[in-house]
Amino acid sequence: MSDFDYDLVLRGGTLASAAEVFEADLGIRDGVIAAIGRGLRRGREEIDARGRIITPGGLDSHCHIEELGQDGTAQEESFASGSAAALAGGTTSFICFLPQWKGHSLAASAPGYAERARRSRADYSFHQIITDPTPEVLEREVPALVARGIRSLKVFLTYDPLRLTDGEFLQVLATARRLGAMVTVHCENFDAIGWRIQALLKAGLTDPLQHAWSRPPVVEREATHRAIALAELADQPIQVFHVSCEEAAAEIAAARARGVKVWGETCPQYVTLSHDDLRAPDFAGAKAVCSPALRDRAEHARIWRRIQDGTLDVVTSDHCGFSFATAKKAAGSSAYGTGAAVQRPDGTPAFNAIPNGVPGIETRMPVLFSEGVSKGRIDLPTFVRLSSANAAKLFGLAGRKGTLAPGADADLVLWDPDRETTITQSRLHHAIDYTPWEGMAIKGWPALTIRRGEVAMREGEVLAAPGSGRFLPRGPYALAAPSGRVPDGFDAAAV
Ligand code: DUC
Ligand code: ZN
Ligand code: ZN
């Protein structure tokens, strides 16, 4: 019999779960939470957590890491660097994307991608992107994938090499319904964006700001409405990715009021960055080019209201890093672009050739904590729901991730809630050469990150080794199940 009841005890911290905030000790054994209570017996190791807020480790359910392009390129952010950044910012697990290249089977797309992921220091799972839903893909490959524990699909309604037609989207929805998988959707109208881009280029309007002009809120609202309507028709639960504006959020709220199983995600960029960032001089606006586009500052308060009323109940990073010098400024090749490079007289690309995406896996939790909790917009349980617990429920990881309960993985963040600091590129661990939050004042910072019972980050130093993260297989779960309501009682997806 060991002298110790626990491998590690966090003593005297303030625990914040998705439901409540209370003071207690937390005991960890074999990588899982073994006990929560006052006056726990001794652990082999002890950490004095007085003055710290302890939350579940973050689950970032939307990030692009080391994606492989059809042209042989890999995104700069590797699994080793991206997961180091995740842990440094309090995120202990993430869900990234298995690509499908159009014209290829799932098996033939991005060969070796799942093996690359084994370099991760954080736990991980995948959403499978579907760009080419052939019968072989839908009837054979996707069921095999679900059997391996990859239980969510991602579809794009825009981007030329990625987008699906409405008919293809319906087929994906029907397949997911049969298999009990969640579908996530990038909602923007492809043709509307293309039409606006051509007109802007013709008018000689080529600055990064015009990226936002090419895809105003109505473009997102229309596609969100359509995605929800088609999901309702097929009776398939969906999550609308990266909601940037009230117009799209209102579509989600209206559908939920009708009982549709639709959820909304947003990202820190949509409550902190704006057109002002796209206007930055010396082409620096390119650093803030992402899709959906950043909106006017007035939109921030509307998105906060939709976070507060629960319409947008997951905050992810949509981390999609492209370095400024080598990719943004040089119109680096990426599926996340909207056109052939038109060079401007100074050699920089027109807005439509700037790869879309911002790096934010490390700053997601601190920005949300600071702007949300420290500024009084949300309470700690809401912070926990937004940063981990709701994503865990939505993607089949409830009970294991995003929770402070015996039996759950001991993924924890010890926050110093009073630490005032500044975000700056030099302190970040990602592989990208800038952060769009450079110079932002933050109150509240992760002092320690614990992943499955091990200290993975202490005061900015990442201790978890590449390869120590684990793949998270996901089984059937209630939120992904259809509602059972189909128009006229005729279940077209079942035929
Ligand atoms: N939006 C981005 O900005 N980047 C990656 C994909 C996306 O939808
Ligand atoms: Zn997207
Ligand atoms: Zn994305």
Side-chain angles (χ1 to χ4, degrees), residues 330-353:
S333 82
S334 164
Y336 305 118
T338 31
V342 176
Q343 271 213 345
R344 309 187 317 158
D346 66 357
T348 56
F351 68 87
N352 64 314

Side-chain angles (χ1 to χ4, degrees), residues 35-292:
I36 294 173
R38 290 174 192 256
L40 291 190
R41 284 165 53 93
R42 283 168 59 202
R44 184 172 293 107
E45 262 187 75
E46 300 244 341
I47 291 176
D48 180 359
R50 284 172 300 171
R52 300 286 189 241
I53 290 169
I54 303 177
T55 66
L59 167 56
D60 191 344
S61 53
H62 181 169
C63 38
H64 303 262
I65 309 285
E66 209 170 327
E67 277 179 25
L68 303 176
Q70 216 162 335
D71 58 0
T73 56
Q75 272 187 336
E76 283 171 272
E77 195 70 87
S78 71
F79 280 96
S81 62
S83 59
L87 292 168
T91 289
T92 45
S93 353
F94 59 84
I95 310 182
C96 57
F97 298 92
L98 282 166
Q100 183 192 12
W101 298 338
K102 246 192 175 88
H104 292 69
S105 66
L106 302 186
S109 300
Y113 186 71
E115 285 69 42
R116 286 177 182 241
R118 296 210 185 104
R119 297 280 296 157
S120 180
R121 308 164 198 255
D123 291 352
Y124 61 94
S125 185
F126 303 108
H127 305 296
Q128 173 67 58
I129 295 174
I130 304 288
T131 63
D132 204 351
T134 62
E136 167 73 2
V137 166
L138 296 183
E139 288 159 26
R140 205 184 61 76
E141 290 201 288
V142 175
L145 207 71
V146 170
R148 277 170 42 213
I150 298 167
R151 197 168 272 277
S152 44
L153 307 176
K154 160 85 190 274
V155 302
F156 290 88
L157 302 185
T158 193
Y159 293 125
D160 207 11
L162 304 173
R163 74 196 172 101
L164 299 186
T165 64
D166 290 350
E168 291 170 330
F169 179 38
L170 278 165
Q171 289 180 43
V172 172
L173 291 168
T175 299
R177 186 176 194 273
R178 288 192 287 271
L179 297 170
M182 183 60 69
V183 174
T184 63
V185 195
H186 178 123
C187 295
E188 290 186 292
N189 182 308
F190 172 78
D191 286 320
I193 293 167
W195 178 68
R196 297 270 298 179
I197 288 174
Q198 288 318 313
L200 285 160
L201 294 178
K202 205 166 157 192
L205 296 167
T206 61
D207 287 347
L209 175 64
Q210 270 89 51
H211 170 75
W213 293 15
S214 74
R215 47 219 310 150
V218 60
V219 166
E220 185 182 345
R221 186 235 296 161
E222 184 280 331
T224 304
H225 179 88
R226 183 162 34 103
I228 293 171
L230 297 179
E232 200 172 349
L233 183 65
D235 183 30
Q236 165 58 35
I238 61 169
Q239 187 196 36
V240 178
F241 266 176
H242 42 46
V243 175
S244 74
C245 58
E246 165 58 21
E247 289 187 34
E251 294 288 342
I252 296 168
R256 284 172 75 132
R258 293 197 297 279
V260 179
K261 290 182 84 168
V262 53
W263 290 271
E265 170 209 83
T266 191
C267 313
Q269 46 271 36
Y270 299 120
V271 288
T272 54
L273 307 178
S274 70
H275 286 184
D276 298 346
D277 297 273
L278 290 166
R279 283 193 193 96
D282 303 323
F283 201 65
K287 294 177 180 174
V289 165
C290 59
S291 289

Side-chain angles (χ1 to χ4, degrees), residues 271 304 308 370-379:
V271 288
W304 276 116
Q308 288 155 347
S370 182
E371 290 295 304
V373 179
S374 302
K375 292 197 175 169
R377 292 182 170 111
I378 55 174
D379 60 13

